[in-house]
């Protein structure tokens, strides 16, 4: 049944990619949510879905025979929490940008990297590189 | 978001969630559970308590800024690795000082994870709480 | 342990030096003094054929060792570094009294001394490179002692960029050399010198190592940073930029000389660059009035002389090199400190405004005279012997006329510079200066006086330094035990005639200096086309290039970055599958279990997110995806994951809904439909790529070894029955530690962003 989930994984990646390329930053947040789940799913699939039994050694025994693959589970457990932190941090950044710039349009958020045309009007030539590093 | 129902039920939910989270944390080494899940459960319980009471309510409950929990957790995580260094083993080689008891530095480490998770979630949450 | 202790000592005492120096206590000089005593105690163990070795483990996996070697050359350098260091530390404690940032200054100065000692004692090329770069770094910090001043910043950066670029070339040379020899150990490399000199990579090694040494030792055309480094406080100039650090390049050349001394390229390169540097330095020295810059250019002349002497093969050249090395360090450090005293006492170091200072500061005048006489190479000072040796070596060289001409010119410049510092400022009529000068106290005058006196003592009794230092060091440079007896007087020889000619011409130039200097200074081409201007142009060019490149690559469009990244991933992934033949299909047989409904749910949820008309609907749809994944975890043996995922989804929805009220979610996408079609194309491409890769992975047979290892060892070794938790907190605890740190830092960073935002809003609406 893994191949069927591989197809679903592909759809999730495509949807996440489509949302990440949005101009509305809130759609980017949704894209990140889907992408995080897709990534975790891919690790889980790569470790195979052979067993329904959790990887717990029965009390009194010293080793486990069979059972679900514990390694991808350990990787995913931290990945879930980290992807939550990533999404939460992104939301904070976007809200901060929204407050400062009054827009949710990713194309309009150009304070750090203004278009060359805009820059030549507003700033002298030499200060351009310094400006980039300040915000980097 | 001051709701009478939430305020009242959270009085029950908070202690239940905290006790449950510690139970999950402690049994994690042998049964499903551990620092990550325990931390999330505790954070959810505290969140339910704090949402109707605002940021001041959160600080009154924790007595410290949530950021302090993050620092404390990281320190515990690092501290769990120190005994190994003293025994000239690689950092974070977990030690089991009591031959008969299954208590070792892993517990210190997992408590560190638990605190970092609580601290991080509440740090994110604290901004969205009303004053 | 002795050598390691000698090197560790200054590193460990750097905080003490910072503390003592911070309160301008002369006690700070105890650190170099103790080191000097330590190295002096090593003298009996080092001779022409006796070397002290010491090896400690460092990075065994890369075959890099903390190996040290104390032979004549290293010991000579170590004594110069610690001895002159003592004088300089003592001097600085009075000279810099009341200056800002003293604790940092002395800490860095001590670290510099420590790195310098490490560099000259390293017996491993990698260790040498590390210490070498540490001297560049500390030099950067010391030149930039006054970061408020633009000149200070520029000079610090220039010195750093040039020496470190050289260091990079040297590192490449070191790696080539290490590969050719099969070891990084200098001792072992020297043992197989013939094989290395004949190795096909030898020319590349020579050029790369020489580039590093030339940059460090300010050989033309990389010399301008040294003159600009004079913005540093005088103790730094006396210590780093005349006596020690700039000699490190010379040290490297001398260290490698036994290997390449008979190679034509080595001889040509060193002789030509050395001679050119002498010429350039001598010319530029004649244009300056600032005492420190005059001395700096004369240092460049000396460094050129040393390079040229190393390039000349033979044991006489080795003796001449080492003798001049010691002599130069003694008198140049002394004269720099005298120039500093003059500056400190009168408030100016412009030689055209100074004169008659002997009336105010007779003791200083005496010290200056002694230093100047050694520099000018007059008997009975050791400088005389050194100059005769340089002439003798030059006369014996093939192509001697070039070498002799360069040496003559250099020595004339030495005479003139010595006269400018020692005579011009102190003799003649009194001039009015910004401050009324008088002799400084012992702390400032003691060091230079001792150094000048040593020039006289060694000259009167050359055996004192000849047997114990010069012969062992010359043996190290030559590569075999040298037999030479140093003496002051050689009788009436061609060298003596050259010496007399030098003095006569030097005196002539000095007397006509007032008319010669302005004429030389008037040649504006030197200023507009010299390497210093070229450096500025190169830096400007670099900045223009980075602006151009930034505009090219960083369009500023987030979507552009994402689209390009996704395209590259797709193309690279598909190309790899195509080239490596990875298009494999796993079997779909038996795929239709009831669990497949979860896959269908995932697809429905994902498409619903993409089609969501408002943010709340999007969150709900994303929640559906998340809960479905959690369900999959639950039914496929991962309860830990399922619980974590459920909690996280719940928390995420709480936070997401909290922001709904704060940010508007426009129903319409901002994208015009043409862009939307393009984005859908890219999205489908990456989706197909991801699916194909996933299918190719699933078609491979599963390797259970690692998972089985955890199944077997979890209970016996880690006393835990929940394998997932045991992996997290025990087997891979460092990974988990890294992850909780990432998690915590993300939260702290978010808190910082939000705090800044809150401050900005409260400022707007007070």
């Amino acid at each position: 049944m893994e191949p069927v989930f591989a197809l679903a994984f592909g759809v999730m990646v495509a949807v996440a990619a489509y949302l990440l390329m949005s101009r509305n930053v809130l759609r980017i947040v949704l894209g990140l949510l889907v992408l995080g789940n897709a990534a975790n799913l891919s690790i889980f699939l790569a470790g195979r879905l052979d067993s329904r039994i959790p990887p717990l050694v029965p009390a009194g025994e010293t080793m486990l025979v069979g059972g679900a693959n514990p390694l991808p589970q350990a990787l995913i457990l931290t990945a879930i929490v980290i992807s939550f932190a990533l999404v939460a941090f992104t939301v904070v950044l976007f809200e901060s940008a929204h407050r400062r710039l009054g827009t949710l349009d990713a194309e309009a958020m150009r304070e750090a990297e203004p278009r060359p045309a805009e820059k030549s009007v507003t700033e002298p030539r030499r200060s351009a590189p310094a400006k980039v590093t300040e915000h980097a | 978001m001051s709701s009478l129902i939430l305020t009242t039920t959270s009085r029950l939910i908070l202690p239940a969630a905290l006790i449950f989270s510690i139970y999950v944390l402690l049994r994690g080494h042998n049964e499903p559970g551990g620092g990550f899940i325990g931390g999330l459960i505790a954070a959810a319980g505290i969140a339910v308590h704090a949402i109707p009471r605002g940021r001041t309510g959160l600080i009154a409950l924790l007595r410290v800024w949530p950021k302090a929990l993050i620092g404390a957790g990281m320190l515990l995580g690092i501290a769990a690795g120190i005994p190994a260094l003293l025994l000239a083993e690689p950092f974070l080689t977990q030690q089991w000082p009591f031959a008969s008891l299954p208590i070792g530095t892993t517990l210190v480490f997992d408590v560190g994870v638990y605190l970092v998770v609580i601290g991080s979630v509440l740090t994110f949450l604290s901004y969205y709480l009303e004053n | 342990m002795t050598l390691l202790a000698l090197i560790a000592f200054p590193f460990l005492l750097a905080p003490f030096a910072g503390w003592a120096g911070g309160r301008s206590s002369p006690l700070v000089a105890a650190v170099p003094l103790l080191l000097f005593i330590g190295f002096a105690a090593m003298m009996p163990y080092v001779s022409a054929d006796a070397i002290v070795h010491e090896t400690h483990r460092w990075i065994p996996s890369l075959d890099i060792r903390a190996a040290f070697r104390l032979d004549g050359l290293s010991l000579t350098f170590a004594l110069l570094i610690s001895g002159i260091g003592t004088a300089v530390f003592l001097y600085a404690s009075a000279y810099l009294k009341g200056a800002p940032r003293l604790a940092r200054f002395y800490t860095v100065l001590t670290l510099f001394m420590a790195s310098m000692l490490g560099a000259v004692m390293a017996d491993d090329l990698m260790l040498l490179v590390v210490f070498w770069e540490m001297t560049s770094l500390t030099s950067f910090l010391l030149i930039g002692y006054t970061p408020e001043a633009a000149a200070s910043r520029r000079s610090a950066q220039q010195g750093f960029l040039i020496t470190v670029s050289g260091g990079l070339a040297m590192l490449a040379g070191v790696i080539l050399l290490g590969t050719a020899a099969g070891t990084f150990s200098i001792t072992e490399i020297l043992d197989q010198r013939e094989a290395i000199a004949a190795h096909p990579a030898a020319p590349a090694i020579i050029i790369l190592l020489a580039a590093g040494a030339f940059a460090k030792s300010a050989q033309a055309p990389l010399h301008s940073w040294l003159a600009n480094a004079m913005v540093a406080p005088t103790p730094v100039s006396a210590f780093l930029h005349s006596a020690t650090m700039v000699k490190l390049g010379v040290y490297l050349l001398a260290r490698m000389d036994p290997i390449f001394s008979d190679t034509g390229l080595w001889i040509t390169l060193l002789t030509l660059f050395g001679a050119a540097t002498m010429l350039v330095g001598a010319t530029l020295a004649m244009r300056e009035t600032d005492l420190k810059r005059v001395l700096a250019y004369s240092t460049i002349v000396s460094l050129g002389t040393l390079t040229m002497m190393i390039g000349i093969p033979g044991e006489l050249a080795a003796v001449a090199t080492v003798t001049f090395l010691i002599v130069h360090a003694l008198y140049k450090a002394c004269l720099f400190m005298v120039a500093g005293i003059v500056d400190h006492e009168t408030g100016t170091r412009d030689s055209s405004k100074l004169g008659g200072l002997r009336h105010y500061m007779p003791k200083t005048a005496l010290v200056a005279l002694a230093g100047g006489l050694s520099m000018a190479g007059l008997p009975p000072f050791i400088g005389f012997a050194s100059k005769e040796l340089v002439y003798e070596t030059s006369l014996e060289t093939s192509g001697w006329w070039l070498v002799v001409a360069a040496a003559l010119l250099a020595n004339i410049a030495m005479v003139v510079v010595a006269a400018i510092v020692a005579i011009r400022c102190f003799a003649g009529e009194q001039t009015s200066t910004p401050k009324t000068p008088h002799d400084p106290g012992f702390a400032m005058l003691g060091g230079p006086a001792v150094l000048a006196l040593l020039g006289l003592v060694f000259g009167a009794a050359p055996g004192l330094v000849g047997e114990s230092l010069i012969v062992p060091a010359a043996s190290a440079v030559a590569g075999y035990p040298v037999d030479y007896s140093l003496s002051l007087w050689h009788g009436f020889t061609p060298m003596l005639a050259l010496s007399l000619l030098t003095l006569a011409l030097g005196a002539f130039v000095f007397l006509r200096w007032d008319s010669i200097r302005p004429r030389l200074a008037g040649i504006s081409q030197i200023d507009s086309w010299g390497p210093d201007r070229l450096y500025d142009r190169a830096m400007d060019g670099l900045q223009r290039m980075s602006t151009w490149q930034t505009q090219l690559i960083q369009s500023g469009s987030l979507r552009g970055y994402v689209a390009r990244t996704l395209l590259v991933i797709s193309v690279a992934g598909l190309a790899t599958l195509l080239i490596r033949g990875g298009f494999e299909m796993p079997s779909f047989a038996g795929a239709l279990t009831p669990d497949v409904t979860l896959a269908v749910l995932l697809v429905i949820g994902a498409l619903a997110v993409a089609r969501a008309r408002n943010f709340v609907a999007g969150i709900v749809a994303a929640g559906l995806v998340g809960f479905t994944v959690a369900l999959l975890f639950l039914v496929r043996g991962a309860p830990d994951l399922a619980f974590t995922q459920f909690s996280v989804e719940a928390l995420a929805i709480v936070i997401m809904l909290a922001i709904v009220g704060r940010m508007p979610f426009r129903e319409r996408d901002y994208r015009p439909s043409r862009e939307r079609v393009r984005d859908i194309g890219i999205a489908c491409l990456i989706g197909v790529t991801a699916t194909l890769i996933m299918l190719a992975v699933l078609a491979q047979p599963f390797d259970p070894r690692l998972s089985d290892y955890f199944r077997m060892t979890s209970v016996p070794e880690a006393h835990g029955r929940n394998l997932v938790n045991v992996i997290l907190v025990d087997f891979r605890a460092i990974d988990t530690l890294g992850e909780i740190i990432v998690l915590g830092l993300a939260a702290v960073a978010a808190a910082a962003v939000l705090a800044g935002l809150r401050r900005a809003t409260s400022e707007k609406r007070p």
Side-chain angles (χ1 to χ4, degrees):
Chain A
M1 60 174 265
E2 289 96 339
V4 181
F5 280 95
L7 299 178
F9 164 68
V11 173
M12 288 165 76
V13 170
V15 166
Y18 176 70
L19 290 169
L20 284 179
M21 287 183 284
S22 304
R23 285 178 67 163
N24 186 324
V25 294
L26 289 177
R27 283 176 183 271
I28 296 180
V29 173
L30 294 178
L32 283 177
L33 279 172
V34 176
L35 190 64
N37 279 313
N40 293 341
L41 180 63
S42 74
I43 301 174
F44 202 56
L45 290 181
R48 304 299 193 275
L49 313 180
D50 291 333
S51 172
R52 291 177 183 277
I53 303 159
L56 301 168
V57 183
E61 292 186 27
T62 54
M63 65 170 77
L64 177 68
V65 182
N69 189 350
L71 185 60
Q73 295 194 20
L75 299 178
I76 296 169
L77 190 65
T78 50
I80 293 172
V81 181
I82 297 252
S83 63
F84 164 76
L86 175 71
V87 170
F89 183 68
T90 314
V91 169
V92 165
L93 272 188
F94 284 154
E95 176 165 0
S96 159
H98 175 237
R99 288 278 192 86
R100 284 174 201 270
L101 306 172
T103 177
L104 286 176
D105 184 353
E107 287 297 308
M109 294 179 178
R110 295 187 154 269
E111 198 180 349
E113 296 161 319
R115 286 192 183 86
E118 294 167 7
K119 190 176 51 191
S120 61
V121 177
T122 52
E123 291 171 56
R125 183 184 63 88
R126 288 298 284 267
S127 67
K131 185 90 178 155
V132 170
T133 47
E134 259 169 42
H135 292 261
Chain B
M1 228 195 288
S2 52
S3 129
L4 186 62
I5 299 173
L6 202 55
T7 315
T8 319
T9 49
S10 66
R11 283 202 193 115
L12 295 171
I13 292 176
L14 176 66
L18 287 181
I19 290 168
F20 183 58
S21 76
I22 290 169
Y23 166 69
V24 167
L25 163 73
L26 291 180
R27 73 172 210 155
H29 214 53
N30 292 314
E31 304 292 333
F36 280 102
I37 311 170
L40 287 168
I41 294 171
I46 298 171
V48 170
H49 172 87
I51 285 171
R53 293 177 178 81
R55 205 178 294 138
T56 35
L58 177 68
I59 303 301
L61 176 72
L62 292 180
R63 319 242 164 187
V64 289
W65 283 99
K67 270 187 281 184
L69 295 180
I70 302 178
M74 285 188 194
L75 280 179
L76 278 182
I78 293 168
I82 304 289
L85 286 185
L86 297 180
L87 297 169
E89 286 183 59
F91 182 61
L92 272 173
T93 308
Q94 306 292 14
Q95 305 297 326
W96 304 88
F98 314 109
S100 53
L101 280 174
I103 294 173
T105 46
T106 52
L107 188 61
V108 179
F109 189 82
D110 226 6
V111 172
V113 173
Y114 176 81
L115 288 178
V116 171
V117 171
I118 298 180
S120 302
V121 172
L122 293 182
T123 304
F124 281 118
L125 190 77
S126 70
Y127 180 71
Y128 296 105
L129 294 173
E130 288 158 27
N131 259 322
Chain C
M1 284 306 286
T2 326
L3 298 186
L4 185 67
L6 280 169
I7 289 181
F9 177 76
F11 276 110
L12 296 177
L13 257 69
F16 164 77
W19 173 82
R23 26 184 79 207
S24 289
S25 157
L27 212 60
V28 73
V31 180
L33 183 65
L34 287 171
L35 271 174
F36 181 77
I37 294 169
F39 281 111
M42 295 300 288
M43 283 175 79
Y45 303 100
V46 175
S47 68
D49 40 17
I51 297 171
V52 183
H53 284 285
E54 201 175 294
T55 304
H56 303 275
R57 275 162 56 91
W58 186 25
I59 316 178
S61 54
L62 293 176
D63 194 27
I64 295 174
R65 285 162 291 186
F68 300 103
R69 165 194 171 103
L70 193 68
D71 62 3
L73 187 65
S74 303
L75 184 62
T76 304
F77 264 95
L79 286 171
L80 284 176
I81 292 161
S82 53
I84 293 178
T86 310
V88 165
F89 274 65
L90 189 66
Y91 178 85
S93 69
Y95 183 87
L96 288 174
K97 191 166 260 176
R101 295 181 291 266
L102 280 181
R104 195 184 83 178
F105 174 80
Y106 285 101
T107 311
V108 176
L109 200 63
T110 311
L111 287 178
F112 161 76
M113 186 173 66
S115 341
M116 193 68 204
L117 289 170
V120 297
M121 283 162 66
D123 193 17
D124 188 287
L125 285 170
M126 283 298 164
L127 197 62
L128 172 63
V129 168
V130 170
F131 283 124
W132 175 291
E133 298 296 12
M134 281 169 70
T135 63
S136 293
L137 194 63
T138 41
S139 163
F140 169 77
L141 292 171
L142 290 168
I143 300 175
Y145 175 69
T146 323
E148 300 86 7
S152 174
R153 292 197 301 272
R154 177 183 180 271
S155 300
Q157 192 187 41
Q158 186 187 28
F160 188 67
L161 282 179
I162 291 179
T163 52
V164 168
S165 310
L168 208 58
M170 174 191 153
L171 178 62
V174 160
I175 292 171
L176 272 182
L177 180 56
T179 316
T183 173
F184 284 116
S185 159
I186 293 175
T187 304
E188 287 170 27
I189 288 173
L190 290 175
D191 284 344
Q192 41 174 315
R193 59 183 86 149
E194 286 87 6
I196 293 168
H199 196 275
I205 296 172
I206 289 176
I207 290 173
L208 289 168
L209 290 183
F214 288 176
K216 195 84 171 173
S217 284
Q219 300 293 299
L222 304 174
H223 60 269
S224 46
W225 73 265
L226 183 55
N228 293 333
M230 294 301 122
V231 298
T234 300
V236 174
S237 308
F239 195 29
L240 276 73
H241 303 122
S242 74
T244 58
M245 189 196 90
V246 289
K247 301 266 175 64
L248 202 51
V250 172
Y251 168 80
L252 178 71
L253 297 176
R255 190 43 92 213
M256 295 295 139
D257 192 41
I259 306 174
F260 302 116
S261 58
D262 294 325
T263 315
L265 177 64
W266 177 261
I267 297 172
T268 317
L269 208 60
L270 265 56
T271 315
L272 280 184
F273 272 91
T277 306
M278 291 156 83
L279 182 71
V280 168
T283 315
L284 294 178
M286 296 298 109
R287 304 174 76 219
E288 296 287 343
T289 57
D290 179 336
L291 285 180
K292 278 180 72 180
R293 285 180 76 90
V294 172
L295 285 171
Y297 282 121
S298 80
T299 303
I300 292 174
V301 176
S302 309
L303 293 168
T305 311
L306 286 167
T307 304
M308 190 175 84
M309 288 291 123
I310 293 171
I312 296 171
E315 63 177 74
L316 190 65
V319 173
T321 305
V322 175
T323 313
F324 185 56
L325 179 83
I326 298 174
V327 170
H328 173 258
L330 293 179
Y331 73 67
K332 191 52 69 65
C334 163
L335 289 181
F336 257 113
M337 287 192 263
V338 165
I341 292 174
V342 169
D343 187 13
H344 195 257
E345 294 296 326
T346 64
T348 179
R349 50 175 206 248
D350 184 339
S351 64
S352 62
K353 292 182 184 145
L354 290 166
L357 288 177
R358 69 178 191 283
H359 300 294
Y360 296 106
M361 33 206 307
K363 290 182 207 157
T364 313
L366 205 63
V367 170
L369 190 67
L373 287 177
S374 193
M375 181 177 186
L378 282 166
F381 287 88
I382 183 83
F384 176 70
S386 152
K387 189 177 56 176
E388 299 269 284
L389 271 169
V390 170
Y391 278 138
E392 193 178 347
T393 311
S394 308
L395 285 167
E396 285 185 4
T397 320
S398 57
W400 59 271
W401 52 271
L402 169 78
V403 178
V404 170
L408 186 66
L409 196 75
N411 281 319
I412 293 172
M414 296 293 178
V415 173
V416 177
V417 170
I420 290 171
V421 178
I423 299 177
R424 196 184 155 87
C425 299
F426 291 93
E429 292 169 24
Q430 299 173 20
T431 53
S432 66
T433 50
K435 286 201 281 184
T436 309
H438 46 75
D439 267 326
F442 170 76
M444 273 171 85
L445 204 51
V450 169
L451 294 177
L453 195 65
L454 279 178
L456 184 62
V457 171
F458 289 158
L464 271 182
V465 69
E467 282 307 307
S468 54
L469 277 183
I470 291 179
V471 170
S475 306
V477 178
Y480 51 86
V482 166
D483 184 25
Y484 188 85
S485 172
L486 190 69
S487 62
L488 192 65
W489 180 250
H490 288 80
F492 295 96
T493 55
M495 290 82 84
L496 187 67
L498 277 171
S499 285
L500 291 174
L501 182 64
T502 309
L503 273 180
L505 288 174
F508 173 76
V509 173
F510 174 61
L511 294 174
R512 304 287 312 269
W513 195 60
D514 281 325
S515 63
I516 291 176
R517 195 199 67 76
R519 228 173 280 167
L520 274 171
I523 308 173
S524 61
Q525 282 85 348
I526 297 181
D527 296 315
S528 54
W529 287 102
D532 208 27
R533 279 294 300 136
L534 287 183
Y535 169 82
D536 279 341
R537 279 168 208 215
M539 294 307 284
D540 277 355
L542 212 58
Q543 204 166 28
R544 272 198 296 278
M545 195 180 87
S546 92
T547 309
W548 169 78
Q549 183 193 314
T550 307
Q551 280 171 2
L552 188 76
I553 302 172
Q554 276 184 272
S555 59
S557 161
L558 178 62
R559 312 168 46 233
Y561 300 150
V562 175
R564 267 178 264 172
T565 309
L566 292 176
L567 267 179
V568 169
I569 294 174
S570 303
V571 171
L574 288 176
T576 311
L577 282 180
L578 202 66
I579 295 165
R580 298 285 183 88
F583 286 113
E584 284 183 57
M585 278 293 155
S587 159
F588 276 77
L592 284 176
T593 59
D595 291 355
V596 165
T597 43
L598 292 177
V600 177
L601 264 181
L602 283 177
V603 172
I604 293 172
L607 292 176
V609 180
R611 295 186 55 82
R613 287 265 154 185
N614 59 60
F615 195 47
V616 178
I619 294 169
V620 172
L624 172 64
V625 173
F627 282 117
T628 311
V629 172
L631 268 179
L632 178 68
F633 291 151
L634 193 61
V635 299
R636 283 289 157 178
D640 282 312
L641 298 190
F643 295 146
T644 312
Q645 177 87 356
F646 281 128
S647 324
V648 160
E649 285 301 326
L651 278 166
I653 287 178
V654 168
I655 289 190
M656 295 294 151
L657 289 178
I659 65 171
V660 169
R662 298 164 181 248
M663 285 190 272
F665 184 81
R666 289 173 52 166
E667 290 184 15
R668 192 172 54 79
D669 201 347
Y670 293 101
R671 294 181 260 207
S673 54
R674 195 168 42 85
E675 281 183 22
R676 198 170 309 174
V677 170
R678 189 200 66 185
D679 289 352
I680 290 175
I682 296 176
C684 289
L685 187 65
I686 186 88
V688 169
T689 312
T691 310
L692 287 176
I693 292 176
M694 198 69 233
L695 288 173
V697 168
L698 292 173
Q700 299 295 318
F702 182 67
D703 180 352
R705 278 178 298 173
L706 190 54
S707 309
D708 282 345
Y709 169 81
F710 293 126
R711 289 185 178 113
M712 310 281 277
T713 53
S714 177
V715 170
E717 289 185 15
H719 312 281
R721 293 189 288 108
N722 179 0
L723 265 57
V724 178
N725 187 265
V726 167
I727 294 174
L728 281 175
V729 301
D730 198 329
F731 287 114
R732 307 211 53 81
I734 288 202
D735 286 357
T736 311
L737 181 65
E739 271 144 9
I740 60 173
I741 288 175
V742 169
L743 178 67
L745 287 184
V748 171
V753 170
L754 293 170
L757 191 62
R758 211 174 295 137
R759 216 175 303 125
T761 28
S762 64
E763 272 165 20
K764 258 181 219 163
R765 287 170 296 175

